[in-house]
Amino acid sequence: MTLALPMLLGAVFVGFLVPRVLRAVSSALSPTVLLAAWLGSMASALYLALSAVLVLVWPSHAPVEGLVDGIALCFSAFAHGTSAWVSELITGTAVAVVGVIAVRIVLAGRKQAREHARVRDFHRDVLSIVARRDNSESDVLWLDHPLPMAYSVAGKPGFVVATQGLSSALTGGERDAVLAHERAHLSGGHHRIVGACEVLAAVLPRVPLFAAAPAAVGAIVELSADRHAARVTSPAAVRSALAVVSKSPLPQPDWSLGDRGGATAVRLRSLDNGEVASPRRLTCAVAACVPAAVTTAVAAAVTVAVSAGICAVLT
């Protein structure tokens, strides 16, 4: 139980404290780095919680728990001195909770996948009748509609839907920026990422990290797609295209370039505030690991402090 405690505390700290930190530093990080931090934090919270349960159910003691016992000897003695039924109750409860969460994640994921597949297939069937393809851009389906709009539809293969009004309202460079934005959603797997966040939010709505993830990650992937489009074309082209498309009175579908949730001003500022170069992979890896590493270190420090307190009381 000595090793399981800091893992469990680490998962709690990640789930409840990290969202506030990520919101506070969001303006200072590039969208790609910020996305890595969110996804890394969610993965770490799940990993730490699952690891804590595995340690609890491991026969005798899990490997390397002896190292932690050496650091928190008094707490370990106290924990192992408790009644057997207490430890069994804690272990059984932890296993049951993790089991229920795992089952709910699987069921919610399958339900979402079926629903998305149904909508995608219906969407594809309808568009195959009313839309046309341009031989020079086979991944784009064009609709004869006067209002400027574009969005992407995930799948194998995914495709982009755009209106004739988009070509009429935008210059060639602006049009290319819009298409690059939508293609960035497809190549980056943004639909799947946000979908996974939505599943976790539905299963763990009371954990702030997961509850906030769909909206936060959804906004981040829009910024990321903007940055990608700016690298392919230019920041000026993305800014002007965003300004035009966001004024469309049509309801904007998911993954469109339009002003979903009033985020246009934020996205324009992001394009104005510095470089659009892609960050290094090492930077993203560090961003993904730092939240969990820091919170786990804090959890270990809390465990040691509790151990010291118990030692003082017992001695």
Side-chain angles (χ1 to χ4, degrees):
M1 191 180 297
T2 308
L3 182 58
L5 180 61
M7 288 181 173
L8 184 58
L9 285 177
V12 171
F13 289 164
V14 173
F16 285 83
L17 300 181
V18 166
R20 297 182 181 181
V21 176
L22 293 179
R23 292 192 191 99
V25 302
S26 60
S27 60
L29 300 177
S30 74
T32 305
V33 173
L34 189 59
L35 179 61
W38 271 95
L39 298 181
S41 298
M42 288 189 287
S44 298
L46 295 174
Y47 173 78
L48 289 170
L50 179 59
S51 297
V53 173
L54 290 177
V55 168
L56 287 172
V57 301
W58 197 284
S60 184
H61 297 290
V64 306
E65 186 169 4
L67 298 177
V68 182
D69 286 340
I71 299 174
L73 182 59
C74 289
F75 180 78
S76 180
F78 173 80
H80 292 303
T82 56
S83 300
W85 70 268
V86 175
S87 297
E88 292 175 359
L89 177 62
I90 294 173
T91 302
T93 302
V95 171
V97 169
V98 170
V100 170
I101 291 174
V103 171
R104 291 189 63 190
I105 289 175
V106 171
L107 293 178
R110 291 183 61 183
K111 179 180 179 181
Q112 185 193 71
R114 287 196 299 267
E115 180 64 19
H116 284 187
R118 184 185 66 80
V119 173
R120 183 179 63 248
D121 292 343
F122 176 78
H123 199 90
R124 192 187 301 268
D125 291 343
V126 171
L127 287 174
S128 66
I129 299 173
V130 300
R132 58 180 174 79
R133 288 185 184 271
D134 187 336
N135 292 332
S136 62
E137 295 174 319
S138 59
D139 62 335
V140 182
L141 293 176
W142 293 94
L143 294 173
D144 290 324
H145 198 286
L147 291 176
M149 183 177 63
Y151 60 95
S152 55
V153 179
K156 295 183 178 179
F159 56 93
V160 176
V161 180
T163 62
Q164 187 60 42
L166 188 75
S167 292
S168 302
L170 303 180
T171 66
E174 293 168 345
R175 170 184 170 279
D176 291 341
V178 172
L179 297 181
H181 173 99
E182 301 306 332
R183 287 170 176 143
H185 284 317
L186 297 174
S187 62
H190 294 168
H191 305 78
R192 292 189 296 271
I193 291 172
V194 176
C197 292
E198 290 171 347
V199 169
L200 292 174
V203 174
L204 299 166
R206 297 185 182 277
V207 180
L209 177 68
F210 298 111
V217 172
I220 293 169
V221 298
E222 291 298 330
L223 295 173
S224 178
D226 287 344
R227 293 288 185 94
H228 173 82
R231 288 193 294 270
V232 173
T233 56
S234 70
V238 178
R239 282 195 297 267
S240 57
L242 181 58
V244 172
V245 176
S246 64
K247 296 177 182 178
S248 171
L250 281 178
Q252 296 295 319
D254 289 344
W255 314 113
S256 67
L257 191 69
D259 185 18
R260 291 192 300 161
T264 296
V266 175
R267 294 165 64 183
L268 290 174
R269 284 198 301 271
S270 176
L271 291 168
D272 289 335
N273 291 338
E275 300 295 328
V276 295
S278 180
R280 295 181 178 180
R281 292 183 180 180
L282 179 60
T283 304
C284 295
V286 171
C289 296
V290 163
V294 172
T295 50
T296 303
V298 172
V302 170
T303 303
V304 172
V306 171
S307 302
I310 293 174
C311 284
V313 171
L314 293 181
T315 57

